[in-house]
Amino acid sequence: MLRTHTCGELTIKDVGKKVILAGWIDRIRDLGGVKFLMLRDRYGQTQIILSQNCQINLRRESVVQIEGVVQKRPEETINKDLLTGEIEVFAEKVNVFSSPEKDLPFYPGETKLPAEEIRLKYRYIDLRRKEVSDRIITRHKVTQCIRNYLSKNGFIEVETPFLTKSTPEGARDFLVPSRLKPGTFYALPQSPQLFKQLLMIGGIDRYFQVVRCFRDEDLRADRQPEFTQIDIEMSFNTMDDVLEITEGMIKHLFKEVLQVDLPGKLDRLTYNECMNKYGSDKPDRRIGMEFFDLSKHFKTCEYHAINAELSSGGVVKGFVVRDFANKMSRKLADELNEIAKSLGGGGILWFSFDSPESIKGAGAKYLQKNYNSVAKELSINYNDVCVLSAGKIDIVNTVLGEVRKILGERYFSDLRKGFDIFWVTDFPMFEYSEEENRFVAQHHPFTMPNLDDLKKYKNSDLSKIRAQSYDVVINGFEVGSGSIRIHDAELQREIFKLMRLTEEEVKLKFGFLLEAFQYGAPPHGGIALGLDRLTAIICGVPTIREVIAFPKTSSGICPLTGAPDVVNQKQLDELKIILGGDHCE
């Protein structure tokens, strides 16, 4: 065999054993004729002593095999930071498998790293770093833990097709041209949504899959064109059943991987509660700063802009930032004002106490009486800051939500510790698309609506119809999203009609699903959780790229392989594709 032990397992109990190790040379030290190597693999590091007659020319990151005897290190050289720190291996034989032909662009053991693009271009070197390989190992543990939990709860893992039909009701599809049927295309799945519903119709009443999905989205900092989700679907269940099985899975996962005990029952907030309290449907509640409706304190004030907003049905809302007055500079206030205006607001107001009797802030000389009234209700102390906004409630919530998020990320990292996990329910079923000039499904069109809302608002304001949908939020990120599904063909047709899809469009895109409903579909629902995001949160890293073995940049490019790239003319001819300018015709 090429090795008898890994570089992370030898201890004082192994002294005297003859062993074979293999790995990469992390570093080399030459102490006056005696050479020490630190040999590394993914399990750890072991110190090697080379005999004086070893004449092999060795370089850092060479891949070598060492045969030798384990011996105890001298007391003064013991490394307590290493599991193998009490021993070293005296090398009797060294075999070089391969050696770098030139200097590496960076070395795994160095603390100063190059730019991310360099790391991704040479990802195979980056993966040699312990912190990177540990994240990949954690991802494996997360995946295995989830598989074990769901399998024990009666779920069956089923693979669904990657080459499927384009149903563009959401993000753009990645299209794959068919060589055997020129002019037609497969689509890579944005999710296995339709197939998992068909599995429910087929009687596979508890399904899951750790599945690759693809979305051709515009550039966003922390999205990948291909990503992995934990896909779950159940039959004969209510929303409570889906939430209960998912909560159990998350608790099991955090206990097994992190040894963290989560609370017995996760909080549930409605979408409207989240927006009114935090200005976001995925707030990080660890930073506090809940919103309060303060309109009553401004019914009489000398500020015309506030009077105008209140008289036209607007509100004044705000939140308190504790111990922040010394950080609330004019520069920061101007920056937050510009952000508010970019979101459609009129700006922000703010105040703090310069002293127990003196208030400073935006418009303080006109609003001191109003500010005093707010301060009394919210128990604002010296050095606290109150941030306010006036206008239509949706805009005010959005403005304050963004300001709250920026302040939390920039100034309150000390509060953003531990895990805040909760459910958000009762999302709007529809949202209006200015681009398409119609209502579209906020989640997807197969979501079961609140039937009372549907009856009440289907002929008036579709935005008031709530969906039987739910998200699980962790530390300010939407980690999972799901819903109870429509299982009745007529109701599904009605939803398509409200979205102003023609009969021809419905038949072309979803005809096979509606036909399947005609043969008996059980009530069903499910959820999909982002494995990349979940693992990133567990690993405590800010971006999902850190937990993906070979990620792409935020622009969708793979620096390692150069994808996407051109293809040769023969391939284009086989697919009957003619390139015209920058586009395919």
Side-chain angles (χ1 to χ4, degrees), residues 44-45 171 340:
Q45 298 184 13

Side-chain angles (χ1 to χ4, degrees), residues 60 86 100 133 155 180 223 332 359 369 384 393 423 440 483-484 505 525-526 536 563 582:
R60 289 177 69 185
E86 292 184 281
S133 62
F155 287 81
L180 298 177
R223 294 288 180 95
L332 176 58
I359 285 181
K369 180 179 71 172
D384 293 343
I393 188 166
W423 290 101
V440 297
S483 68
I484 299 301
E505 286 177 308
D582 294 329

Side-chain angles (χ1 to χ4, degrees), residues 4-21:
T4 59
H5 297 77
T6 70
C7 294
E9 67 177 298
L10 295 174
T11 68
I12 198 73
K13 296 178 182 178
D14 298 300
V15 169
K17 286 184 181 178
K18 192 160 186 176
V19 299
I20 305 174
L21 302 180

Side-chain angles (χ1 to χ4, degrees), residues 10 14-20 47-49 66-72 87-93:
L10 295 174
D14 298 300
V15 169
K17 286 184 181 178
K18 192 160 186 176
V19 299
I20 305 174
Q47 182 164 281
I48 310 296
I49 304 176
I66 303 290
E67 294 185 34
V69 178
V70 181
Q71 58 188 34
K72 187 179 185 299
I87 61 92
E88 54 197 8
V89 174
F90 184 81
E92 297 176 338
K93 183 178 179 182

Side-chain angles (χ1 to χ4, degrees), residues 272-286:
N272 285 335
E273 285 175 327
C274 269
M275 296 305 296
N276 282 318
K277 278 187 177 182
Y278 305 106
S280 169
D281 59 4
K282 47 182 181 295
D284 188 341
R285 299 186 303 171
R286 297 172 299 173

